Structures are given as C-alpha cells and as structure tokens.
Amino acid sequence: MNAMAPLLFKAWRESRGRFLFSAVLLATICVFGVFCRASLMAVFVPDERFVGDPYIGYIYRLIYKGTARGLFTIMAVVLALGGLQRERLQRTAGFTLALPVNRAWLVSAQALLGLTQVAVLSALPVLLLAACSQLAHVAYPLRQMACFGLLWFGSGAVFFAVAFLSAALFQSEYAALAVSFVFMILYPAAVLFPPLSRYPLNLNHIMSGLTMRYFDARTALLVGRPPWTLLVSMMIVAGLLIALAVRISKQRDYS
C-alpha cells in the first residue's frame, strides 16, 4: 500500500486536467439544467405517453437519457487514455519503468484512479441535482438519482475498461481513442438485433433504463430494486478487461 500511494498521485497528476474539465462540463449541464428549466423544458419535453411529474420527466430527458449521459460516456473513455503508451511517445517511459515498483502496479494504479474518477463523475449529478433542486424549490427523488448513479458507474466502468484495454493494445493514443469511439457507436447498435437483443446488453439503455424492466417510461422513474445482478456482471466484465490490459502492459516493450 505504501508503494501504491505515490503511484496513485502520479496517475492523478497525469489525468487531473481531463478529470476536472469533465467534471466542470457535467456540473454545468446539471446546474444550468435546473436553474434554466423554464426555457429548456420546452425543448426536453417528454413524449405524449408521459404521465408523471413534468420536472422529473425533463431532468430524465436532459440528464439521464440525453446530453449529460452521452457526455459522461465520452468522459469515461477519455479518462482511460494515457499511461505508459503516452509516456513512450513522450520518451519518459524509461524513467517510469526504472522506478523500483512492479510494472503491474503502475498500470493498476492508473486503472484504480480512473475507476474512482468515473465513480465521482457518476455521483456528481446526484449531489448537484439534489442541492440545486432544493434551491430552485423543485424536487427529484434522491433514491432515483442514487440508482441512476449506480447504473452510470457500472456502464461507465465498462466503457472505461474498453478504452483502457485499447490504450494497452495500440501504440498510438489516437488509435486507442478511435477504437473506443467505434465501440461506443457500433456496440449499442449491434445488440439491438437478434439474438443479442433478447439480453440486457445495451450499455446506453442500462444507464438510462430505456426498454429495461426496472424502468417505467410513463413516469420516467426506476421501479423496484436496483438490478444488482446486472451491475455486478458489468463490474466483472470491466475487471476482466482491465486485468487483460495489465497483463498486456507487463509484456509490452516500451522502448
């Protein structure tokens, strides 16, 4: 653990700019979404089947189904980039690899910090919407926001892990970014067709609840208990992808 702390700090120094920029963007959407709702609700209006609270439907369309959700998935991908491949291009990988720590610890520290950042970003709407809604004298159920936060973290961890593995596989950071974005576009489209469409595999739908049994589209509310089996499955998938990335990084030549 003594060796992990400085490695986490090193990973933070390398990723803090991307993380803080992502947090500011996400926070801006949440804050302006609440306080500028009078004009925005005319744009992000629920469909004719909606019978619930207009504010809840509006926040769902803006945050949990729309702009903020899409931005969050991009953030999760961008936070995974960098590491030893970037240092190789900057000709600093030799110095990092000369540190008296196992190479697997170096990569694991980046993954651990990245997942922590994804968790913070997934919790950010919960905190901001709760505070801003109270100040604006409107209400959004805290339990709903917390459950959406869990869904965001589970799906975001998978997006992060895919990008993290891509960064380990490809020498070019731009190639890893391109592959990750292709995955973001093609994977949700591919699982819409049989036989994959019979299973809850669409990460975008998992995050928003769209077409899921745990979501009621008429009220834009999650119903029942959180889908713990689905959440655990996503974390296992993310863990396996990150473990593979660590294994590849241990064997790769960064000279």
Side-chain angles (χ1 to χ4, degrees), residues 33 36-47 54 57-59 61-62:
C36 299
R37 65 190 183 282
S39 57
L40 291 176
M41 285 181 75
V43 179
F44 295 92
V45 60
D47 57 36
Y58 157 69
I59 290 295
R61 289 289 300 271
L62 175 65

Side-chain angles (χ1 to χ4, degrees), residues 59-231:
I59 290 295
Y60 172 74
R61 289 289 300 271
L62 175 65
I63 305 296
Y64 295 116
K65 180 185 176 184
T67 305
R69 180 191 57 78
L71 184 61
F72 171 77
T73 58
I74 295 175
M75 297 170 185
V77 167
V78 172
L79 287 173
L81 303 178
L84 291 174
Q85 290 288 31
R86 175 182 291 176
E87 292 193 39
R88 183 187 65 82
L89 294 175
Q90 296 175 344
R91 300 177 183 271
T92 60
F95 172 78
T96 299
L97 293 175
L99 295 174
V101 292
N102 190 296
R103 184 183 293 192
W105 281 59
L106 287 169
V107 183
S108 298
Q110 183 195 358
L112 178 59
L113 181 70
L115 288 175
T116 302
Q117 291 171 336
V118 170
V120 171
L121 291 178
S122 66
L124 195 58
V126 181
L127 302 175
L128 290 176
L129 290 176
C132 293
S133 294
Q134 186 172 9
L135 291 174
H137 304 293
V138 287
Y140 196 100
L142 181 60
R143 182 181 181 278
Q144 290 287 313
M145 293 187 289
C147 290
F148 273 120
L150 287 173
L151 295 172
W152 275 33
F153 175 63
S155 300
V158 176
F159 281 118
F160 173 88
V162 169
F164 194 77
L165 177 59
S166 299
L169 287 171
F170 297 97
Q171 294 187 358
S172 170
E173 190 173 33
Y174 296 105
L177 182 61
V179 169
S180 301
F181 277 121
V182 169
F183 171 82
M184 288 175 58
I185 297 170
L186 295 184
Y187 172 78
V191 297
L192 293 177
F193 298 96
L196 297 178
S197 60
R198 289 180 287 187
Y199 305 99
L201 298 175
N202 191 319
L203 294 175
N204 292 328
H205 288 181
I206 291 172
M207 293 174 68
S208 65
L210 191 65
T211 73
M212 293 294 179
R213 291 181 295 177
Y214 51 79
F215 180 73
D216 183 0
R218 297 174 302 168
T219 58
L221 292 172
L222 300 170
V223 294
R225 296 185 302 174
W228 293 115
T229 301
L230 189 57
L231 288 167

